[in-house]
């Protein structure tokens, strides 16, 4: 893994937001797209950049492709990995994203439901996140 490529990959807010979620758990493209309110093409482009830099990896399960932080990245860049995790826990936007992920996962929605009716999932998340603030 080239350090310059790693830093280039981490030098974008959207990629940091994606990495923040993937540090918490493995996710498919449609879940990331929904949680971060980004388009599929935008998410895929950012995932490819992170993957090319060796930060994340993917695994195909049935018709879904799931992404997670690459163990090789963690082992080869442990101090950087720990620093990133610590700093992510200090950022308001990243904490909101993590809370949205937590609400999504507790809902038992699936990728299939996202494909069928994404608006239902978004309404649920919006309501749950509003309730958490109120």
């Amino acid at each position: 893994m080239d350090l310059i490529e790693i830093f280039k990959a981490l030098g974008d807010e959207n990629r940091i937001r994606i990495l923040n979620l993937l540090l918490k758990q493995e996710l498919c493209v449609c879940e990331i797209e929904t949680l971060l309110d980004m388009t599929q093409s935008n998410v895929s482009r950012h995932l490819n950049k992170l993957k090319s830099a060796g930060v994340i990896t993917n695994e195909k399960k049935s018709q879904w492709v799931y992404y997670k932080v690459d163990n090789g990245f963690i082992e080869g860049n442990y101090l950087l990995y720990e620093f990133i995790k610590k700093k992510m826990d200090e950022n308001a936007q990243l904490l909101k994203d993590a809370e949205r992920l937590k609400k999504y996962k507790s809902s038992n929605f699936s990728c299939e439901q996202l494909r069928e009716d994404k608006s239902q999932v978004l309404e649920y998340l919006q309501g749950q996140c509003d309730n958490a603030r109120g």
Side-chain angles (χ1 to χ4, degrees):
M1 284 174 257
D2 181 27
L3 188 60
I4 293 169
E5 291 306 311
I6 290 171
F7 278 104
K8 283 181 181 179
L10 298 177
D12 180 272
E13 179 182 359
N14 288 324
R15 289 192 288 272
I16 291 291
R17 290 180 72 198
I18 290 169
L19 181 60
N20 176 53
L21 296 179
L22 295 178
L23 285 170
K24 312 239 179 306
Q25 70 184 93
E26 179 180 86
L27 295 166
C28 76
V29 175
C30 62
E31 290 172 319
I32 296 167
E33 172 189 342
T34 301
L35 291 166
L36 300 182
D37 193 24
M38 295 169 63
T39 65
Q40 184 274 328
S41 61
N42 200 11
V43 169
S44 292
R45 185 169 36 87
H46 289 302
L47 287 168
N48 284 332
K49 184 76 170 175
L50 289 166
K51 187 176 177 199
S52 293
V55 176
I56 64 171
T57 188
N58 65 349
E59 180 181 348
K60 188 165 175 69
K61 296 179 184 176
S62 182
Q63 62 183 348
W64 312 108
V65 178
Y66 287 86
Y67 290 85
K68 65 180 181 177
V69 177
D70 190 314
N71 287 333
F73 169 75
I74 296 169
E75 292 166 7
N77 302 281
Y78 188 74
L79 292 175
L80 176 60
Y81 169 76
E82 287 297 319
F83 175 79
I84 290 168
K85 283 188 351 182
K86 182 182 183 300
K87 288 300 181 181
M88 285 181 171
D89 289 339
E90 299 172 1
N91 181 284
Q93 179 62 60
L94 299 177
L95 290 170
K96 286 179 195 174
D97 292 344
E99 183 61 27
R100 193 167 165 116
L101 171 63
K102 184 178 170 185
K103 299 295 182 191
Y104 168 74
K105 285 301 180 177
S106 69
S107 73
N108 293 318
F109 281 116
S110 66
C111 292
E112 289 84 4
Q113 289 166 304
L114 283 173
R115 293 278 189 218
E116 291 172 12
D117 190 3
K118 183 178 174 180
S119 64
Q120 177 188 12
V121 177
L122 288 171
E123 286 175 28
Y124 172 82
L125 289 174
Q126 186 61 42
Q128 288 297 309
C129 290
D130 288 347
N131 289 340
R133 286 186 213 119

